[in-house]
Coordinates of all heavy atoms in Angstrom, one line a residue:
M26 N 113.9 86.5 120.7 CA 113.8 86.6 119.2 C 112.8 85.5 118.6 O 113.1 84.4 118.8 CB 115.2 86.4 118.7 CG 115.3 86.7 117.1 SD 117.1 86.8 116.5 CE 116.8 86.8 114.7
P27 N 111.9 86.0 117.8 CA 110.9 85.1 117.3 C 111.7 84.2 116.1 O 112.2 84.7 115.2 CB 109.7 85.9 116.8 CG 110.4 87.2 116.6 CD 111.6 87.4 117.4
T28 N 111.4 82.9 116.3 CA 111.7 82.0 115.2 C 110.7 81.8 114.2 O 109.5 82.2 114.6 CB 112.2 80.6 115.9 OG1 111.3 80.2 116.6 CG2 113.5 80.9 116.6
S29 N 111.0 81.3 113.1 CA 109.9 81.1 112.1 C 108.9 80.0 112.8 O 109.3 79.1 113.4 CB 110.6 80.5 110.8 OG 111.2 79.3 111.1
S30 N 107.7 80.2 112.4 CA 106.5 79.4 112.8 C 106.8 77.9 112.3 O 107.3 77.7 111.3 CB 105.2 79.9 112.3 OG 104.2 79.0 112.6
P31 N 106.6 77.0 113.3 CA 106.7 75.6 112.9 C 105.9 75.2 111.8 O 106.3 74.1 111.1 CB 106.2 74.7 114.2 CG 105.4 75.8 115.0 CD 105.9 77.2 114.6
R32 N 104.9 75.8 111.5 CA 104.0 75.5 110.4 C 103.6 76.8 109.6 O 103.1 77.7 110.1 CB 102.7 74.8 110.8 CG 102.0 75.4 111.9 CD 101.0 74.5 112.7 NE 100.4 75.3 113.9 CZ 99.2 75.3 114.0 NH1 98.2 74.7 113.4 NH2 98.8 75.9 115.0
A33 N 104.1 76.7 108.2 CA 103.6 77.8 107.4 C 102.2 77.6 107.0 O 101.8 76.8 106.2 CB 104.6 77.8 106.2
I34 N 101.3 78.4 107.7 CA 99.9 78.3 107.5 C 99.3 79.2 106.5 O 99.7 80.4 106.5 CB 99.1 78.3 108.8 CG1 99.7 79.5 109.6 CG2 99.3 76.9 109.6 CD1 98.7 79.8 110.8
N35 N 98.3 78.9 105.8 CA 97.6 79.6 105.0 C 98.4 80.6 104.0 O 98.2 81.8 103.9 CB 96.6 80.6 105.7 CG 95.5 79.8 106.4 OD1 95.2 78.8 105.9 ND2 95.0 80.2 107.6
Q36 N 99.6 80.1 103.4 CA 100.3 80.7 102.5 C 99.7 80.5 101.2 O 99.5 79.3 100.8 CB 101.7 80.3 102.5 CG 102.5 80.6 103.8 CD 102.7 82.0 104.0 OE1 103.3 82.7 103.1 NE2 102.4 82.6 105.1
R37 N 99.4 81.6 100.3 CA 98.8 81.6 99.2 C 99.6 82.4 98.1 O 100.3 83.3 98.4 CB 97.4 82.0 99.0 CG 96.4 81.2 100.0 CD 96.3 79.8 99.4 NE 95.2 79.0 100.3 CZ 95.4 78.4 101.3 NH1 96.6 78.1 101.6 NH2 94.4 77.8 101.9
T38 N 99.6 82.0 96.8 CA 100.2 82.8 95.7 C 99.2 83.6 95.0 O 98.2 83.2 94.6 CB 101.0 81.9 94.8 OG1 101.8 81.0 95.5 CG2 101.7 82.6 93.8
C39 N 99.5 85.0 94.9 CA 98.7 85.8 94.2 C 98.9 85.5 92.7 O 100.0 85.5 92.3 CB 99.2 87.4 94.5 SG 98.4 88.5 93.3
I40 N 97.8 85.3 92.1 CA 97.9 85.0 90.6 C 98.1 86.1 89.7 O 98.4 86.0 88.6 CB 96.6 84.2 90.1 CG1 95.4 85.1 90.2 CG2 96.3 82.9 90.8 CD1 94.2 84.5 89.5
G41 N 98.1 87.4 90.4 CA 98.6 88.6 89.7 C 100.1 88.7 89.7 O 100.7 88.6 88.6
C42 N 100.6 89.1 90.9 CA 102.1 89.3 90.8 C 102.9 88.0 91.3 O 104.1 88.2 91.3 CB 102.3 90.4 91.9 SG 101.9 89.9 93.7
R43 N 102.2 86.9 91.5 CA 102.9 85.6 91.7 C 103.7 85.7 93.1 O 104.6 85.0 93.3 CB 103.8 85.3 90.7 CG 103.1 85.3 89.1 CD 102.1 84.2 89.1 NE 102.6 82.9 89.3 CZ 101.9 81.8 89.5 NH1 100.5 81.9 89.5 NH2 102.4 80.6 89.6
T44 N 103.4 86.6 93.9 CA 104.0 86.7 95.3 C 103.2 85.8 96.3 O 102.0 85.9 96.3 CB 104.0 88.2 95.7 OG1 104.7 89.1 94.7 CG2 104.7 88.3 97.1
V45 N 104.0 85.2 97.1 CA 103.3 84.4 98.1 C 103.0 85.3 99.3 O 103.8 86.1 99.8 CB 104.3 83.2 98.7 CG1 103.7 82.5 99.7 CG2 104.5 82.4 97.5
A46 N 101.8 85.2 99.8 CA 101.3 86.0 100.9 C 100.4 85.2 101.8 O 99.9 84.2 101.5 CB 100.6 87.4 100.4
H47 N 100.0 85.8 103.0 CA 99.2 85.1 103.9 C 97.7 85.2 103.3 O 97.4 86.3 102.7 CB 99.3 85.8 105.4 CG 98.5 84.9 106.2 ND1 97.2 85.1 106.7 CD2 98.9 83.9 107.1 CE1 96.9 84.1 107.6 NE2 97.9 83.4 108.0
A48 N 96.9 84.2 103.6 CA 95.6 84.1 103.0 C 94.8 85.4 103.3 O 93.9 85.9 102.6 CB 94.9 82.9 103.4
T49 N 95.0 85.9 104.5 CA 94.2 87.1 104.9 C 94.5 88.4 104.3 O 93.8 89.2 104.2 CB 94.4 87.3 106.6 OG1 95.8 87.5 106.7 CG2 93.9 86.2 107.4
E50 N 95.7 88.3 103.4 CA 96.1 89.5 102.7 C 95.5 89.5 101.4 O 95.6 90.3 100.6 CB 97.6 89.7 102.8 CG 98.3 89.8 104.1 CD 99.7 89.8 104.0 OE1 100.4 90.3 103.1 OE2 100.4 89.2 104.8
L51 N 94.9 88.3 101.0 CA 94.5 88.1 99.6 C 93.0 87.9 99.5 O 92.4 87.6 100.5 CB 95.2 86.9 99.0 CG 96.7 86.8 99.0 CD1 97.2 85.4 98.6 CD2 97.3 87.9 98.1
L52 N 92.5 88.3 98.4 CA 91.1 88.1 98.1 C 91.0 86.8 97.4 O 91.7 86.4 96.4 CB 90.7 89.3 97.2 CG 89.1 89.3 96.9 CD1 88.4 89.7 98.2 CD2 88.9 90.6 96.0
R53 N 90.0 86.1 97.8 CA 89.8 84.7 97.2 C 88.7 84.8 96.1 O 87.6 85.4 96.4 CB 89.4 83.7 98.2 CG 89.2 82.3 97.7 CD 89.0 81.3 98.9 NE 89.2 80.0 98.4 CZ 88.1 79.1 98.2 NH1 86.8 79.5 98.4 NH2 88.3 77.9 97.6
F54 N 88.8 84.2 95.0 CA 87.8 84.0 93.9 C 87.6 82.5 93.7 O 88.4 81.7 93.9 CB 88.4 84.6 92.6 CG 88.5 86.2 92.7 CD1 89.7 86.7 93.1 CD2 87.4 87.0 92.3 CE1 89.8 88.1 93.1 CE2 87.6 88.3 92.4 CZ 88.7 88.9 92.8
V55 N 86.3 82.2 93.5 CA 85.9 80.9 93.0 C 85.2 80.9 91.8 O 84.7 81.9 91.3 CB 85.0 80.3 94.2 CG1 85.7 80.1 95.5 CG2 83.8 81.1 94.3
A56 N 85.3 79.7 91.2 CA 84.6 79.6 89.8 C 83.1 78.9 90.1 O 83.1 77.8 90.6 CB 85.4 78.7 88.9
I57 N 82.2 79.4 89.6 CA 80.9 78.8 89.7 C 80.2 78.9 88.3 O 80.0 79.9 87.6 CB 79.9 79.7 90.6 CG1 80.5 79.6 92.0 CG2 78.6 79.1 90.6 CD1 79.8 80.6 92.9
D58 N 80.1 77.7 87.7 CA 79.7 77.5 86.3 C 80.5 78.4 85.3 O 79.8 79.3 84.6 CB 78.2 77.9 86.3 CG 77.2 76.8 87.1 OD1 77.8 75.7 87.1 OD2 76.2 77.2 87.5
S59 N 81.7 78.3 85.3 CA 82.5 79.1 84.4 C 82.5 80.7 84.6 O 82.8 81.5 83.7 CB 82.2 78.8 82.9 OG 82.5 77.5 82.7
T60 N 82.0 81.1 85.8 CA 82.0 82.5 86.2 C 82.8 82.7 87.4 O 82.7 81.9 88.4 CB 80.5 83.0 86.4 OG1 79.8 82.7 85.2 CG2 80.5 84.4 86.7
V61 N 83.7 83.6 87.3 CA 84.5 83.9 88.5 C 83.9 84.8 89.5 O 83.4 85.8 89.0 CB 85.9 84.6 88.0 CG1 86.8 84.8 89.3 CG2 86.7 83.7 87.1
C62 N 83.7 84.3 90.8 CA 83.0 85.1 91.7 C 83.9 85.4 92.9 O 84.8 84.6 93.2 CB 81.7 84.3 92.2 SG 80.6 83.9 91.0
V63 N 83.7 86.6 93.5 CA 84.5 87.0 94.6 C 83.8 86.1 95.8 O 82.7 86.1 96.0 CB 84.3 88.5 94.9 CG1 85.0 88.8 96.2 CG2 84.7 89.3 93.7
D64 N 84.9 85.6 96.6 CA 84.5 84.8 97.7 C 85.0 85.6 99.0 O 85.9 85.2 99.6 CB 85.1 83.4 97.7 CG 84.7 82.5 98.8 OD1 83.8 82.8 99.4 OD2 85.5 81.6 99.0
A65 N 84.2 86.6 99.3 CA 84.6 87.6 100.3 C 84.9 86.8 101.6 O 85.8 87.1 102.5 CB 83.6 88.6 100.6
D66 N 84.2 85.8 102.1 CA 84.3 85.2 103.3 C 85.2 84.0 103.3 O 85.3 83.3 104.2 CB 82.9 84.9 103.9 CG 82.0 86.1 104.1 OD1 82.6 87.1 104.5 OD2 80.8 86.1 103.9
S67 N 85.6 83.6 102.1 CA 86.5 82.3 101.9 C 85.7 81.1 102.5 O 86.4 80.3 103.1 CB 87.8 82.5 102.7 OG 88.5 83.6 102.2
K68 N 84.4 81.1 102.2 CA 83.6 80.0 102.9 C 83.2 78.9 101.8 O 82.8 77.9 102.0 CB 82.3 80.6 103.5 CG 82.7 81.2 104.8 CD 81.4 81.8 105.4 CE 81.7 82.3 106.8 NZ 80.6 83.1 107.3
R69 N 83.3 79.3 100.5 CA 82.9 78.5 99.4 C 84.0 77.4 99.2 O 85.2 77.7 99.3 CB 82.8 79.2 98.1 CG 81.6 80.1 98.1 CD 81.4 80.8 96.7 NE 80.3 81.7 96.7 CZ 79.0 81.3 96.6 NH1 78.7 80.1 96.3 NH2 78.0 82.3 96.5
G70 N 83.5 76.2 99.0 CA 84.5 75.1 98.7 C 85.1 75.1 97.3 O 84.7 76.0 96.5
G71 N 85.8 74.3 97.0 CA 86.3 73.9 95.6 C 87.5 74.8 95.4 O 88.1 75.4 96.2
R72 N 87.9 74.7 94.1 CA 89.1 75.4 93.6 C 89.0 76.9 93.8 O 88.0 77.6 93.5 CB 89.5 75.0 92.2 CG 90.6 75.6 91.7 CD 90.8 75.3 90.2 NE 91.1 73.9 90.1 CZ 92.5 73.4 90.1 NH1 93.4 74.2 90.1 NH2 92.7 72.2 90.0
G73 N 90.0 77.6 94.4 CA 90.0 79.0 94.5 C 91.2 79.7 93.9 O 92.3 79.0 93.6
A74 N 91.1 80.8 93.6 CA 92.3 81.6 93.0 C 92.5 82.9 94.1 O 91.4 83.5 94.5 CB 92.1 82.1 91.6
W75 N 93.7 83.2 94.2 CA 94.0 84.2 95.2 C 94.6 85.4 94.6 O 95.7 85.1 93.8 CB 94.8 83.7 96.4 CG 94.1 82.6 97.2 CD1 94.0 81.3 96.7 CD2 93.5 82.6 98.5 NE1 93.4 80.6 97.6 CE2 93.0 81.3 98.6 CE3 93.3 83.6 99.3 CZ2 92.4 81.0 99.8 CZ3 92.7 83.3 100.6 CH2 92.1 82.1 100.8
V76 N 94.1 86.6 94.9 CA 94.7 87.8 94.3 C 94.8 88.9 95.4 O 93.9 89.1 96.2 CB 94.0 88.3 93.1 CG1 94.6 89.4 92.4 CG2 93.5 87.2 92.2
H77 N 95.9 89.6 95.4 CA 95.9 90.9 96.2 C 94.7 91.7 95.8 O 94.4 92.0 94.7 CB 97.2 91.6 96.1 CG 98.5 91.0 96.7 ND1 99.5 90.4 96.1 CD2 98.8 90.8 98.0 CE1 100.4 89.9 96.8 NE2 99.8 90.2 98.0
P78 N 94.0 92.3 96.8 CA 92.8 93.2 96.6 C 93.4 94.6 96.1 O 92.9 95.5 96.7 CB 92.1 93.2 97.9 CG 93.0 93.0 98.9 CD 94.2 92.0 98.3
T79 N 94.1 94.6 95.2 CA 94.7 95.8 94.7 C 94.4 95.9 93.2 O 94.4 94.9 92.4 CB 96.1 95.9 94.9 OG1 96.8 95.0 94.2 CG2 96.5 95.9 96.5
P80 N 94.2 97.2 92.7 CA 94.0 97.3 91.2 C 95.1 96.8 90.5 O 94.9 96.1 89.3 CB 93.9 98.8 91.0 CG 93.4 99.3 92.3 CD 94.1 98.5 93.3
E81 N 96.3 96.9 90.9 CA 97.4 96.4 90.2 C 97.5 94.9 89.9 O 97.6 94.4 88.8 CB 98.8 96.8 91.0 CG 99.2 98.2 90.9 CD 98.4 98.9 92.1 OE1 97.6 98.3 92.8 OE2 98.3 100.2 92.1
C82 N 97.1 94.1 91.1 CA 97.2 92.8 91.0 C 95.9 92.1 90.2 O 96.0 91.2 89.5 CB 97.3 92.1 92.4 SG 99.0 92.2 93.1
L83 N 94.8 92.9 90.4 CA 93.6 92.4 89.7 C 93.7 92.7 88.2 O 93.4 91.7 87.4 CB 92.4 93.2 90.3 CG 92.0 92.8 91.7 CD1 91.0 94.0 92.3 CD2 91.3 91.5 91.7
R84 N 94.3 93.8 87.9 CA 94.5 94.0 86.5 C 95.6 93.0 85.9 O 95.4 92.6 84.8 CB 95.0 95.5 86.3 CG 94.8 96.0 84.8 CD 95.2 97.5 84.7 NE 94.4 98.3 85.6 CZ 94.9 99.4 86.1 NH1 96.1 99.8 85.9 NH2 94.0 100.2 86.8
L85 N 96.7 92.8 86.6 CA 97.6 91.7 86.1 C 96.9 90.4 85.9 O 97.2 89.7 84.9 CB 98.7 91.6 87.2 CG 99.9 92.5 87.0 CD1 100.8 92.2 88.2 CD2 100.7 92.0 85.7
A86 N 96.0 90.0 86.8 CA 95.5 88.7 86.7 C 94.7 88.7 85.5 O 94.7 87.6 84.8 CB 94.7 88.5 88.0
L87 N 93.9 89.8 85.3 CA 93.0 89.8 84.1 C 93.9 89.8 82.8 O 93.5 89.0 81.9 CB 92.1 91.1 84.1 CG 91.0 91.0 85.3 CD1 90.4 92.4 85.3 CD2 90.0 90.0 84.9
T88 N 94.9 90.7 82.8 CA 95.7 90.8 81.6 C 96.3 89.4 81.2 O 96.3 89.1 80.1 CB 96.8 91.9 81.8 OG1 96.1 93.0 82.1 CG2 97.6 92.0 80.5
K89 N 96.8 88.8 82.2 CA 97.6 87.5 82.0 C 96.6 86.3 81.8 O 97.0 85.2 81.6 CB 98.6 87.2 83.1 CG 99.6 88.2 83.2 CD 100.8 87.8 84.1 CE 100.4 87.6 85.5 NZ 101.6 87.4 86.4
R90 N 95.3 86.6 81.9 CA 94.3 85.5 81.9 C 94.6 84.4 83.0 O 94.5 83.3 82.7 CB 94.2 85.0 80.5 CG 93.9 85.8 79.4 CD 93.7 85.2 78.0 NE 93.7 85.9 77.0 CZ 92.6 86.7 76.5 NH1 91.4 86.4 77.2 NH2 92.5 87.6 75.7
A91 N 95.0 84.9 84.2 CA 95.5 84.0 85.2 C 94.2 83.2 85.7 O 94.4 82.1 86.2 CB 96.1 84.8 86.3
F92 N 93.0 83.8 85.5 CA 92.0 83.0 86.1 C 91.6 81.9 85.2 O 91.2 80.8 85.6 CB 90.7 83.9 86.1 CG 90.8 85.1 87.2 CD1 91.2 86.3 86.9 CD2 90.5 84.6 88.5 CE1 91.2 87.1 87.9 CE2 90.6 85.6 89.5 CZ 90.8 86.9 89.3
N93 N 91.8 82.0 83.9 CA 91.6 80.8 83.0 C 92.6 79.8 83.4 O 92.2 78.6 83.3 CB 91.7 81.3 81.5 CG 90.7 82.2 81.2 OD1 89.9 82.7 81.8 ND2 90.8 82.6 79.8
R94 N 93.8 80.1 83.7 CA 94.8 79.2 84.1 C 94.4 78.4 85.4 O 94.5 77.3 85.6 CB 96.1 79.8 84.1 CG 97.3 79.0 83.7 CD 98.6 79.6 83.7 NE 98.5 80.7 82.7 CZ 99.4 81.8 82.7 NH1 100.5 81.8 83.4 NH2 99.3 82.6 81.7
A95 N 94.1 79.4 86.4 CA 93.8 78.8 87.6 C 92.6 77.9 87.7 O 92.5 76.9 88.4 CB 93.5 80.0 88.6
F96 N 91.6 78.1 86.8 CA 90.3 77.3 86.8 C 90.3 76.4 85.6 O 89.2 75.8 85.4 CB 89.1 78.3 86.9 CG 89.0 79.1 88.2 CD1 89.1 80.4 88.1 CD2 88.9 78.5 89.3 CE1 89.0 81.1 89.3 CE2 88.8 79.1 90.6 CZ 88.8 80.5 90.5
R97 N 91.4 76.4 84.8 CA 91.4 75.5 83.8 C 90.3 75.6 82.6 O 89.6 74.6 82.4 CB 91.7 74.0 84.3 CG 92.8 73.9 85.2 CD 93.0 72.5 85.4 NE 94.3 72.4 86.4 CZ 95.5 72.4 85.9 NH1 95.8 72.6 84.8 NH2 96.5 72.2 86.9
G98 N 90.2 76.8 82.3 CA 89.2 77.0 81.2 C 88.8 78.5 81.0 O 89.3 79.3 81.8
P99 N 88.1 78.7 79.9 CA 87.7 80.1 79.6 C 86.7 80.5 80.7 O 85.7 80.0 80.9 CB 87.2 80.1 78.2 CG 86.7 78.7 78.1 CD 87.6 77.9 78.9
M100 N 87.1 81.6 81.4 CA 86.2 82.1 82.5 C 85.6 83.4 82.2 O 86.1 84.3 81.5 CB 87.0 82.2 83.8 CG 87.7 81.0 84.2 SD 86.7 79.6 84.3 CE 85.7 80.0 85.7
N101 N 84.3 83.6 82.8 CA 83.7 84.9 82.8 C 84.1 85.8 83.9 O 84.1 85.4 85.1 CB 82.3 84.7 82.8 CG 81.5 86.0 82.8 OD1 82.0 87.1 83.1 ND2 80.2 86.0 82.4
T102 N 84.9 86.9 83.7 CA 85.6 87.6 84.8 C 84.9 89.1 84.9 O 85.5 89.9 85.6 CB 87.0 87.8 84.3 OG1 87.1 88.5 83.0 CG2 87.9 86.6 84.4
D103 N 83.6 89.0 84.6 CA 82.9 90.2 84.9 C 82.9 90.7 86.3 O 83.0 91.8 86.6 CB 81.4 90.0 84.4 CG 81.2 90.1 82.9 OD1 82.3 90.3 82.2 OD2 80.3 89.7 82.4
A104 N 82.8 89.7 87.1 CA 82.8 90.1 88.6 C 84.1 90.6 89.1 O 84.2 91.5 89.9 CB 82.5 88.8 89.4
V105 N 85.1 90.1 88.5 CA 86.5 90.6 88.8 C 86.7 92.0 88.4 O 87.3 92.9 89.0 CB 87.6 89.7 88.2 CG1 89.1 90.2 88.6 CG2 87.4 88.2 88.5
Q106 N 86.2 92.3 87.0 CA 86.3 93.7 86.5 C 85.4 94.6 87.3 O 85.9 95.8 87.6 CB 85.9 93.7 85.1 CG 86.9 92.8 84.3 CD 86.6 92.8 82.8 OE1 86.3 93.8 82.2 NE2 86.6 91.7 82.0
A107 N 84.1 94.1 87.8 CA 83.4 95.0 88.7 C 84.1 95.3 90.0 O 84.0 96.4 90.4 CB 82.1 94.3 88.9
W108 N 84.8 94.2 90.5 CA 85.4 94.4 91.8 C 86.5 95.4 91.6 O 86.9 96.2 92.5 CB 85.9 93.1 92.3 CG 86.0 93.0 93.8 CD1 85.0 92.5 94.6 CD2 87.1 93.5 94.6 NE1 85.4 92.6 96.0 CE2 86.7 93.3 95.9 CE3 88.4 94.0 94.4 CZ2 87.5 93.6 97.0 CZ3 89.1 94.3 95.4 CH2 88.7 94.1 96.8
L109 N 87.3 95.3 90.4 CA 88.5 96.3 90.2 C 88.0 97.7 90.1 O 88.6 98.6 90.6 CB 89.0 95.8 88.9 CG 90.1 96.6 88.2 CD1 91.3 96.8 89.2 CD2 90.6 96.1 86.9
R110 N 86.9 97.9 89.5 CA 86.3 99.2 89.4 C 86.0 99.8 90.6 O 86.2 101.0 90.9 CB 85.1 99.2 88.4 CG 85.5 99.1 87.0 CD 84.1 98.9 86.1 NE 83.3 100.2 86.0 CZ 82.2 100.3 85.5 NH1 81.9 99.5 84.6 NH2 81.5 101.4 85.6
T111 N 85.3 99.0 91.5 CA 84.9 99.3 92.9 C 86.3 99.7 93.6 O 86.3 100.9 94.3 CB 84.1 98.3 93.5 OG1 83.1 97.9 92.7 CG2 83.7 98.8 95.0
T112 N 87.2 99.0 93.6 CA 88.6 99.2 94.3 C 89.0 100.5 93.8 O 89.7 101.2 94.6 CB 89.5 98.0 94.1 OG1 88.9 96.8 94.5 CG2 90.7 98.1 95.0
M113 N 89.2 100.7 92.6 CA 89.8 101.8 91.9 C 89.1 103.1 92.4 O 89.6 104.1 92.7 CB 89.9 101.8 90.5 CG 90.9 100.8 90.0 SD 91.0 100.6 88.3 CE 91.7 102.2 87.8
E114 N 87.6 103.0 92.5 CA 86.9 104.3 92.9 C 87.2 104.5 94.4 O 87.2 105.7 94.8 CB 85.4 103.8 92.8 CG 85.0 104.0 91.2 CD 83.5 103.5 91.2 OE1 82.8 103.3 92.0 OE2 83.1 103.2 89.9
Q115 N 87.4 103.4 95.1 CA 87.7 103.7 96.5 C 89.1 104.2 96.8 O 89.3 105.0 97.7 CB 87.6 102.4 97.3 CG 86.1 101.8 97.5 CD 86.1 100.4 98.0 OE1 87.2 99.8 98.3 NE2 85.0 99.9 98.4
R116 N 90.0 103.8 95.9 CA 91.4 104.3 96.1 C 91.6 105.6 95.2 O 92.7 106.0 95.2 CB 92.3 103.2 95.6 CG 92.4 102.1 96.7 CD 93.3 100.9 96.1 NE 94.6 101.4 95.6 CZ 95.7 100.9 95.8 NH1 95.8 99.9 96.8 NH2 96.8 101.3 95.2
A117 N 90.5 106.1 94.6 CA 90.8 107.3 93.7 C 91.5 108.4 94.5 O 90.7 108.7 95.4 CB 89.6 107.6 93.0
P118 N 92.5 108.9 94.1 CA 93.0 110.1 94.7 C 92.1 111.4 94.7 O 91.5 111.6 93.6 CB 94.4 110.3 94.1 CG 94.2 109.8 92.7 CD 93.3 108.7 92.8
R119 N 92.1 112.1 95.7 CA 91.3 113.2 95.6 C 92.1 114.4 95.1 O 93.1 114.7 95.6 CB 90.8 113.6 97.1 CG 89.7 112.9 97.7 CD 89.3 113.4 99.0 NE 88.0 112.8 99.5 CZ 86.9 113.3 99.3 NH1 86.9 114.4 98.4 NH2 85.8 112.9 99.6
D120 N 91.5 114.9 93.9 CA 92.1 116.0 93.3 C 91.6 117.3 94.0 O 90.5 117.4 94.4 CB 91.7 116.1 91.9 CG 92.4 115.0 91.1 OD1 93.4 114.6 91.4 OD2 91.8 114.6 90.1
E121 N 92.5 118.2 94.3 CA 92.1 119.4 95.1 C 91.8 120.4 93.9 O 92.5 121.1 93.3 CB 93.5 119.9 95.8 CG 93.7 119.0 97.0 CD 94.9 119.8 97.8 OE1 94.9 121.1 97.7 OE2 95.7 119.1 98.5
S122 N 90.5 120.3 93.7 CA 89.8 121.3 92.7 C 88.9 122.2 93.4 O 88.2 121.7 94.2 CB 89.2 120.6 91.6 OG 88.2 119.8 92.3
G123 N 89.2 123.4 93.1 CA 88.3 124.5 93.8 C 88.9 125.1 95.0 O 89.7 125.4 95.6
Ligands
ZN18 ZN1 99.6 90.3 94.0

């Protein structure tokens, strides 16, 4: 029976739904000159914000202005909204028309 890992590694909180998840389950964003950018490879340094890569959590984070809070200032979230649109297009249900 597996016991809990001796070290809780890479646990992050989604700024959308505020749920703690493993870093690999979350999408990392970084702030570059007051602009929020997607950090797909998690290679950029500095302060990061973590969100589930789902339309629900991305929208929550935008609605609650969680990025402003995470980066302590008014942020340009165009990249987040673009990412949200892309995600929604990928997840769009196929209507059976025709
Ligand atoms: Zn979430």
